[in-house]
Amino acid sequence: MAKRDILILPDPVLRKVAAPIADIDDRIRALAADMLETMYEAPGIGLAAPQVGVLERLIVCDVATDEDAEPAPMVLVNPVIEAASEETKVYEEGCLSIPEFLEEVTRPAAVRVAYLDRDGTPQVVEADGLLAVCLQHEIDHLNGVLFIDHISRLKRERITKKFAKQARLA
Ligand code: NI
C-alpha cells in the first residue's frame, strides 16, 4: 500500500466526470487500499478516486469516527444512488480537497446506494446519518461535483477565489 497525493481545489481533475470501472482487478484493489491508507492518514472519513487523480468510479469511506470503534472501511465501485429520502438533514461538511473549510450542506437524510464491492459482488446499502452524508459527498466527486456547489454562491465564490490565490502563490 502507498499513500497518494490528494488533489486540491482548483485542480481541474476534480471537475471531471469519472468513468465506470469495467473490471475489478488487482489494480483496482490496490487503488482502493491506497485510497483507504491516504484517507486514514489525512485523516478523513471518505475519499473518491478523482481526488487522487484517478478518473474512475471508486470511493472509500469509514464513518466509524468514535476513537474506540473498530475501523469499518467500505470500498464502493460504480456506486449509484437508487433512492433518496424526501426528508433532508443539514450537516457541516468538509473535504480533503478543500482543506480547513467547513460549511453546512443540506442533503437527503437517507439514501439507498447500489455498488460492487472489492470482489465485484453487487451490494446495496441503506444509509442514514453520517454514512448517508459521506456517500452522497463522495459520489458527487465522481461527477465532478464538490460540496461547495451545494452552498450559497457568495460563499462558494469566496472560497474558490481563496484557493485560486493559494494555488498561484504555491
Ligand atoms: Ni470531498
Side-chain angles (χ1 to χ4, degrees):
M1 292 209 298
K3 202 174 149 250
R4 304 212 184 188
D5 290 333
I6 297 174
L7 303 182
I8 302 296
L9 187 76
D11 194 302
V13 172
L14 294 171
R15 289 308 195 174
K16 299 223 163 95
V17 176
I21 292 171
D23 292 305
I24 301 174
D25 52 14
D26 287 346
R27 181 183 69 87
I28 294 299
R29 280 185 282 271
L31 172 62
D34 286 358
M35 284 170 57
L36 281 167
E37 184 179 340
T38 305
M39 179 189 83
Y40 285 126
E41 278 209 31
I45 61 167
L47 192 66
Q51 291 181 275
V52 294
V54 179
L55 283 168
E56 297 183 74
R57 304 188 80 82
L58 169 63
I59 65 174
V60 297
C61 68
D62 185 343
V63 296
T65 50
D66 192 328
E67 268 182 37
D68 302 325
E70 287 289 310
M74 286 180 74
V75 172
L76 298 91
V77 176
N78 300 337
V80 174
I81 296 173
E82 287 190 330
S85 63
E86 299 245 332
E87 187 201 338
T88 59
K89 202 167 177 188
V90 179
Y91 189 83
E92 189 176 62
E93 295 187 25
C95 180
L96 294 176
S97 294
I98 312 172
E100 288 163 39
F101 178 71
L102 299 173
E103 191 54 58
E104 288 187 339
V105 176
T106 303
R107 298 185 189 267
V111 287
R112 183 170 71 237
V113 174
Y115 65 99
L116 301 174
D117 66 20
R118 66 183 111 190
D119 299 315
T121 306
Q123 305 280 358
V124 173
V125 58
E126 303 270 359
D128 59 10
L130 186 54
L131 183 58
V133 173
C134 189
L135 291 175
Q136 291 176 82
H137 177 121
E138 302 311 331
I139 291 169
D140 268 357
H141 273 298
L142 302 181
N143 297 318
V145 174
L146 302 174
F147 85 94
I148 55 173
D149 300 340
H150 299 291
I151 68 178
S152 78
R153 187 171 149 186
L154 185 70
K155 285 177 180 166
R156 179 170 59 256
E157 284 177 353
R158 197 181 294 152
I159 195 70
T160 304
K161 264 187 202 154
K162 185 180 164 202
F163 274 83
K165 189 176 172 191
Q166 281 173 359
R168 279 197 303 275
L169 295 174

